[in-house]
Amino acid sequence: MAVPDIALSKRELIVNLSAIKTSVVALALAVTLSGCSVNPVTGEKQLSLIGESQELAMGAEQYVPTQQTQGGRFYVDPELTLYVSEVGQKMAEVSDRPDLPYEFVVLNSSVPNAWALPGGKIAINRGLLTELEDEAQLASVLGHEIVHAAARHSVQRMQQGMLISAGVAGLGFALSDNEWAGLIMGGAALGAQLALSQYSQGDELESDHYGILYMKEAGYDPQAAVELQELFLKLSEGRQSSFIDGLFATHPPSAKRVQENRELVKKVGAGGYRGEDVYKRKMAKLRSLQPAYDAHDKAMELASKGEMKAALDKVNEAIRLLPREAMFYALRGRIYQDQKEAEKAAADFEKAVELYPEMFKYRLYNGLNALRLNNLDKARENLTKANETVPTSIAFLRLGDVAVKQNNRNEAIAYYSKAAEAGGDVAEEAKRKLAALTQ
Ligand SMILES: [Zn+2]
């Protein structure tokens, strides 16, 4: 069976997740067994297999790749990321680990979610920002993530081999944020897994608890945290679908969380800064652009149902409303590709790369499509660039194909060997081609 360029099977995903588990175990074994240490937030004794330098390195190395597998930077409004960073740094300063190299970024995804990598590398999606009403609510989300990082929750779960997948949705026509999930290789796969895995109720309660204390300390009204939890619990009971794949999957809400947060706020005292006006002002641009993102999301939904004509109309509407959003051209390119209009697709992928050159998936689309048009140098350049940020088995496989066409046998063997390390159909195809070359 030929490997499709875009659609992935669930099997591939599972194979690759087990590869990640193996790498986590290998990582845990590779580090010195330093035994017990004291949790920097709670003061409790805990197992410490992964030292602080590894913790910091993991976050620093995987921050950009993980941003990219979760939608990429929301580059059309850099002011918004500046604002979120300011609020985040205010909370980080009063945390139990103020010296971590914290960073905050807004991601270009409609899925309401936020995540933290080890070492304080934090992200919030624009799809969650639009659900919030004021700065205190934003501070509560960021404070919660700060605790996950400061208390080393991900690191603890990695040590215990307990990274539980929160489920990766949308692998049909794969028009989702996680379409490449099963094909990502190496450390970038671990980063994506950390961003998408579920925290235990114990970790959630701990993050809420210290997050509320940090809010109080930073001068925010901690009641905002309770309000958000109440809202999330209500939404989760109504099972609003976009939330199920996002925040609720990774940070599951519960009545117990609401109850404990209420009691804690009663104890420390409600009241403090809300920042409703400033939040409204900082969010004005995103809110005004929302119709463009809604049109894009609708187009994605139509395309995943195979209604390509209607999808094309919708994505054209999005482009009319916001012509400098790379994501829209990438989607239109994929729709053209589906309709066998490779030349039109090429123009759109080129535009997406021009608008956001660092983004691996726009490079990947551009490279795969160039190969289809037999534009070998362009394919090679783009696939190589894609792999520099987020390595994927499909890019290695197709770089092997380019090398074969350009009569670079040794290079082809190297690329196919790399692709063969992954799982699923991509690896099978790579192994077949490798066997044919080395006969
Ligand atoms: Zn959480």
Side-chain angles (χ1 to χ4, degrees):
M1 192 191 94
V3 175
D5 285 334
I6 291 174
L8 308 176
S9 68
K10 278 223 161 84
R11 194 165 59 82
E12 277 174 314
L13 182 72
I14 291 159
V15 168
N16 280 275
L17 290 184
S18 63
I20 294 165
K21 260 190 205 146
T22 314
S23 67
V24 170
V25 172
L27 178 65
L29 290 178
V31 301
T32 344
L33 298 181
S34 44
C36 269
S37 69
V38 169
N39 186 291
V41 173
T42 62
E44 284 166 15
K45 274 200 178 152
Q46 63 185 194
L47 187 69
S48 176
L49 296 176
I50 299 172
E52 193 178 39
S53 62
Q54 275 116 339
E55 178 191 356
L56 298 190
M58 211 185 311
E61 282 162 21
Q62 298 317 322
Y63 195 36
V64 169
T66 308
Q67 289 172 29
Q68 292 207 359
T69 63
Q70 306 303 312
R73 282 183 297 110
F74 182 45
Y75 69 85
V76 302
D77 189 2
E79 302 269 317
L80 189 58
T81 283
L82 274 181
Y83 170 61
V84 166
S85 301
E86 280 168 22
V87 175
Q89 295 296 350
K90 251 184 255 174
M91 292 292 287
E93 272 167 34
V94 299
S95 77
D96 289 279
R97 286 174 90 187
D99 297 333
L100 280 182
Y102 291 98
E103 279 187 81
F104 302 85
V105 68
V106 177
L107 297 186
N108 193 12
S109 169
S110 299
V111 177
N113 205 5
W115 48 260
L117 291 187
K121 305 300 188 195
I122 291 166
I124 182 166
N125 293 354
R126 60 167 165 72
L128 180 53
L129 288 172
T130 50
E131 299 292 330
L132 308 180
E133 283 167 0
D134 58 32
E135 189 175 304
Q137 291 187 353
L138 173 61
S140 98
V141 170
L142 298 177
H144 179 97
E145 297 299 332
I146 286 168
V147 180
H148 279 316
R152 310 176 94 233
H153 288 157
S154 304
V155 172
Q156 287 294 317
R157 285 178 307 151
M158 284 173 64
Q159 287 174 171
Q160 296 153 357
M162 279 179 57
L163 284 182
I164 303 160
S165 172
V168 182
L171 294 177
F173 181 56
L175 285 163
S176 82
D177 286 342
N178 301 314
E179 68 201 279
W180 302 107
L183 303 177
I184 296 163
M185 297 181 76
L190 176 61
Q193 175 69 348
L194 285 173
L196 292 172
S197 68
Q198 189 175 64
Y199 288 100
S200 68
Q201 178 158 269
D203 287 349
E204 287 304 284
L205 291 173
E206 199 166 287
S207 285
D208 286 348
H209 182 93
Y210 289 93
I212 284 170
L213 297 183
Y214 297 167
M215 286 180 80
K216 190 72 192 167
E217 178 76 22
Y220 288 109
D221 181 1
Q223 184 60 28
V226 177
E227 288 163 17
L228 266 191
Q229 276 309 313
E230 285 170 345
L231 172 72
F232 291 160
L233 185 62
K234 211 165 78 194
L235 289 173
S236 79
E237 283 163 350
R239 301 191 72 74
Q240 213 190 60
S241 67
S242 62
F243 270 100
I244 288 169
D245 299 333
L247 197 71
F248 297 165
T250 51
H251 307 271
S254 66
K256 188 170 160 84
R257 280 178 73 182
V258 172
Q259 188 53 33
E260 291 206 1
N261 294 346
R262 269 193 205 134
E263 281 164 20
L264 180 60
V265 169
K266 209 179 277 171
K267 215 160 82 188
V268 299
Y273 184 68
R274 293 300 305 223
E276 204 178 335
D277 290 348
V278 65
Y279 191 78
K280 261 205 188 99
R281 221 165 40 240
K282 300 286 183 181
M283 284 289 290
K285 186 165 184 178
L286 171 52
R287 299 240 191 245
S288 77
L289 299 175
Q290 196 56 41
Y293 289 102
D294 288 343
H296 166 272
D297 295 351
K298 186 74 197 163
M300 189 113 132
E301 190 192 320
L302 288 163
S304 64
K305 285 193 266 180
E307 294 173 38
M308 294 300 171
K309 177 81 184 61
L312 192 57
D313 287 346
K314 268 292 166 194
V315 77
N316 278 330
E317 184 185 324
I319 291 172
R320 253 193 327 271
L321 291 169
L322 181 57
R324 59 196 187 90
E325 174 54 85
M327 182 195 259
F328 300 165
Y329 296 95
L331 176 58
R332 192 171 68 180
R334 295 173 66 198
I335 294 169
Y336 282 140
Q337 209 172 37
D338 182 80
Q339 299 182 320
K340 310 279 178 260
E341 299 208 61
E343 301 282 354
K344 281 186 175 174
D348 275 345
F349 293 144
E350 195 64 34
K351 181 80 183 168
V353 166
E354 184 193 309
L355 288 165
Y356 189 174
E358 306 85 33
M359 180 63 158
F360 90 103
K361 69 176 169 181
Y362 304 151
R363 290 281 183 181
L364 201 42
Y365 295 138
N366 206 20
L368 294 174
N369 193 63
L371 177 58
R372 211 166 292 128
L373 289 167
N374 216 27
N375 194 339
L376 299 182
D377 288 334
K378 183 177 167 184
R380 186 193 175 94
E381 187 203 329
N382 280 279
L383 294 174
T384 304
K385 279 266 188 242
N387 270 354
E388 280 169 13
T389 322
V390 178
T392 55
S393 55
I394 187 77
F396 284 119
L397 177 65
R398 297 302 169 224
L399 277 166
D401 293 349
V402 172
V404 166
K405 288 188 177 210
Q406 293 184 325
N407 294 316
N408 293 326
R409 183 174 173 274
N410 289 343
E411 210 180 272
I413 290 173
Y415 284 132
Y416 287 146
S417 304
K418 195 78 195 147
E421 288 171 16
D425 296 338
V426 170
E428 291 313 312
E429 186 178 329
K431 283 176 195 159
R432 267 200 318 276
K433 289 178 166 172
L434 202 53
L437 272 183
T438 50
Q439 255 166 20

